[in-house]
Amino acid sequence: KRTHPFRVYICNIELPAKVLQKLCECFMPGGLGHVEKFHLTRNEFQGSDGIEFAHEIIQTNKKLTEICFERNPVDRGQDCQRLIDAIQRHPNISTCYLEGFCRGDRNGHDYLLNLLCKEGMRNVDFANCGVNTNGQSALFDIIMLHPSLVWLCLDENELNDEDAIYLAHALQHNRTLETLLLKGNEFTSLGENVLTKVIYDDSTLNALDAS
């Protein structure tokens, strides 16, 4: 059955539990429309309310292609994993924006790996999520052979010069990535130089923002 797609943007508005319950009812599938994109930004959720709400939206809207949960930091690792799992299991989500998803000292590395392993994932914003590889190459191994990733934002994470070397190697082999954002990481001139050489290799990605 064909329905009209619509997009929902709820930004800079506090959403208490009673409001979330009503919103869930509004966005249940049915009628003439379906949710295609759903954005939640700076909503000052209490406890696990935001995760519960986003999880419900993802589970009940099978035609959803884009989810945003930006600048809504999550305190509990269990809640982080629950949202990532919901995105990963969804049949159609190919774009997700999760800037500032991990609160405090939590390392978002494994959550990012899970997202990138989702079939059909094209665009991921995982800025300011404490991503620290601890010397592992798993993230870059995924990027190297990713079949669909087009846009990736890793601004304000904890990537260092060793990561830059792994990343440069991955970019030499990747054939889908067009834009990679890396501002605010821990690269020195060594890491920056390694990545600069990749920028000017026409066989790699089309745009790289490492300033």
Side-chain angles (χ1 to χ4, degrees):
K1 181 180 178 180
R2 297 185 62 182
T3 57
H4 182 73
F6 62 93
R7 305 168 183 180
V8 180
Y9 298 87
I10 306 177
C11 306
N12 303 309
I13 300 175
E14 185 175 353
L15 297 173
K18 290 182 178 179
V19 173
L20 293 178
Q21 184 177 357
K22 293 296 183 182
L23 287 174
C24 274
E25 296 172 3
C26 293
F27 297 122
M28 290 294 290
L32 298 177
H34 66 269
V35 180
E36 181 182 58
K37 300 181 180 183
F38 202 96
H39 283 230
L40 295 166
T41 304
R42 291 197 192 99
N43 305 113
E44 299 186 18
F45 295 116
Q46 299 299 311
S48 299
D49 288 351
I51 293 295
E52 292 286 344
F53 178 57
H55 186 270
E56 184 70 17
I57 293 296
I58 292 169
Q59 279 200 319
T60 57
N61 289 275
K62 299 304 182 185
K63 294 184 178 181
L64 191 67
T65 62
E66 180 173 306
I67 184 72
C68 171
F69 197 82
E70 284 193 325
R71 302 185 187 183
N72 284 311
V74 180
D75 289 314
R76 302 171 59 208
Q78 180 180 348
D79 286 338
C80 289
Q81 192 63 58
R82 189 175 183 207
L83 183 59
I84 297 297
D85 287 345
I87 294 171
Q88 192 176 39
R89 288 193 298 264
H90 194 278
N92 292 308
I93 291 177
S94 61
T95 296
C96 58
Y97 301 106
L98 298 175
E99 178 187 350
F101 176 62
C102 302
R103 183 188 290 276
D105 296 329
R106 183 169 293 111
N107 185 353
H109 176 263
D110 290 349
Y111 303 131
L112 177 58
L113 294 189
N114 289 342
L115 282 177
L116 293 178
C117 285
K118 174 177 167 46
E119 184 176 356
M121 186 61 74
R122 292 177 54 82
N123 306 290
V124 175
D125 184 349
F126 216 68
N128 192 23
C129 286
V131 175
N132 186 328
T133 67
N134 292 315
Q136 300 177 33
S137 66
L139 170 60
F140 312 110
D141 293 341
I142 292 173
I143 292 173
M144 180 168 59
L145 299 176
H146 204 288
S148 60
L149 188 65
V150 175
W151 187 91
L152 177 62
C153 179
L154 295 176
D155 288 345
E156 305 296 336
N157 280 292
E158 299 175 16
L159 302 180
N160 58 30
D161 288 344
E162 183 179 6
D163 298 321
I165 294 170
Y166 281 127
L167 179 56
H169 177 69
L171 295 177
Q172 288 175 335
H173 296 273
N174 180 279
R175 291 296 178 266
T176 63
L177 192 60
E178 296 177 357
T179 301
L180 173 63
L181 306 178
L182 294 169
K183 291 185 292 187
N185 279 279
E186 299 177 359
F187 304 129
T188 68
S189 58
L190 172 63
E192 291 173 357
N193 289 338
V194 169
L195 291 170
T196 297
K197 291 179 181 179
V198 179
I199 296 173
Y200 293 105
D201 181 352
D202 292 338
S203 67
T204 60
L205 78 172
N206 297 322
L208 177 64
D209 183 351
S211 60

